[in-house]
């Protein structure tokens, strides 16, 4: 084996939200209520913190409906986070899905490391069949810990048996990337499938032709 081949990552790790599936709750709510009201609701209520609780394993409906009950002025809108969740978690990002499948066609192990609730991930799997194509999945709601807590990265390392320096990880959030880098992972701050494709080519995992959708 050449030195170059020896340096190839042994597994590629994908975040899901805003890497494989768009996740823009503010955009959804701007479509169902006046934008000024949406901005006020998000300023008054930390809905992303509510979602973090779901990603840690709290009951999806209970968490959303309890928040709605605590803020009756916005109750109907908040309940949409549960009742129309699939309209928030959309659409898929085709270029990234292509790269996932291109890596798997070459026999490169591909893992998911994602902040996702138990029930919401079940919904997403039905809507997006490619979520069943990973070799291994590490879902925060099942593990009861979310990125960027170092524990979730350690769980992946221990379960997969892949050394930190042999993992290549992409995520749209810089705090999640920083936590992985601190453990010695190779990282790519995702800002679109084109840049991710170029990184996979530079790492020697895909050819330019294979990386093209």
């Amino acid at each position: 084996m050449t030195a170059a081949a020896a340096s190839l990552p042994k597994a590629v790790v994908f975040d899901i939200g805003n890497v494989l599936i768009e996740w823009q709750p503010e955009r959804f709510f701007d479509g169902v209520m006046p934008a000024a009201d949406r901005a006020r609701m998000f300023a008054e209520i930390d809905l992303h913190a509510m979602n973090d609780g779901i990603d840690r394993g709290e009951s999806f409906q209970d968490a959303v409906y309890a928040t709605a009950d605590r803020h009756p002025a916005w109750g109907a809108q908040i309940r949409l986070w549960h009742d129309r969740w699939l309209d928030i978690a959309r659409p898929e990002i085709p270029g990234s899905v292509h790269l996932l499948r291109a890596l798997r066609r070459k026999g490169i192990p591909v893992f998911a490391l994602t902040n996702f609730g138990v029930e919401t991930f079940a919904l997403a799997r039905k809507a997006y069949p490619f979520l069943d194509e990973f070799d291994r999945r590490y879902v925060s709601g099942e593990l009861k810990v979310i990125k960027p807590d170092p524990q979730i990265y350690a769980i992946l390392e221990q379960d997969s048996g892949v050394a930190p320096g042999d993992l290549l990880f992409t995520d749209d959030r810089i705090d999640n990337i920083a936590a992985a880098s601190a453990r010695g992972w190779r990282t790519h701050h995702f800002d679109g499938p084109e840049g991710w494709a170029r990184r996979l080519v530079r790492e020697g995992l895909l050819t330019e032709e294979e990386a093209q959708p």
Side-chain angles (χ1 to χ4, degrees):
M1 181 180 293
T2 67
S7 70
L8 291 177
K10 292 186 170 59
V12 177
V13 186
F14 280 73
D15 177 34
I16 292 176
N18 288 326
V19 173
L20 286 159
I21 301 167
E22 291 189 23
W23 174 251
Q24 301 291 337
E26 289 87 347
R27 181 180 65 195
F28 166 78
F29 282 99
D30 280 345
V32 299
M33 61 195 295
D37 289 349
R38 189 278 301 165
R40 189 155 58 92
M41 180 177 75
F42 274 75
E44 292 177 8
I45 309 161
D46 194 344
L47 294 171
H48 289 286
M50 173 195 74
N51 199 67
D52 285 346
I54 295 163
D55 288 348
R56 288 188 180 93
E58 294 177 14
S59 165
F60 179 31
Q61 181 170 316
D62 289 353
V64 175
Y65 279 32
T67 302
D69 290 344
R70 288 194 299 272
H71 303 279
W74 304 108
Q77 291 88 351
I78 293 170
R79 289 185 187 92
L80 295 178
W81 197 290
H82 174 273
D83 299 345
R84 293 185 60 186
W85 186 84
L86 280 174
D87 290 326
I88 302 176
R90 66 184 301 271
E92 69 180 68
I93 301 173
S96 296
V97 177
H98 167 80
L99 294 169
L100 162 66
R101 290 173 167 163
L103 290 164
R104 295 205 72 235
R105 280 193 296 271
K106 296 198 70 173
I108 298 163
V110 181
F111 307 155
L113 178 63
T114 183
N115 287 352
F116 236 108
V118 174
E119 296 102 328
T120 52
F121 194 70
L123 288 170
R125 285 177 62 192
K126 291 179 182 178
Y128 302 108
F130 60 82
L131 294 179
D132 284 328
E133 297 178 21
F134 290 101
D135 296 284
R136 295 173 186 256
R137 294 193 304 260
Y138 301 91
V139 179
S140 65
E142 298 170 359
L143 300 172
K144 311 298 185 189
V145 59
I146 65 172
K147 296 175 292 182
D149 189 315
Q151 182 184 355
I152 197 168
Y153 302 90
I155 289 170
L156 184 150
E157 293 164 10
Q158 293 159 10
D159 180 75
S160 70
V162 181
D166 291 327
L167 294 163
L168 174 61
F169 173 52
T170 190
D171 195 296
D172 68 302
R173 284 180 46 169
I174 196 66
D175 54 343
N176 296 339
I177 286 293
S181 295
R183 300 188 64 84
W185 294 24
R186 309 185 202 191
T187 59
H188 174 81
H189 185 209
F190 185 90
D191 62 359
E194 298 81 9
W196 181 219
R198 290 192 295 270
R199 176 63 183 273
L200 293 169
V201 171
R202 286 199 306 271
E203 291 283 352
L205 296 171
L206 297 176
T207 66
E208 290 190 7
E209 183 178 2
E210 291 165 339
Q212 293 300 314

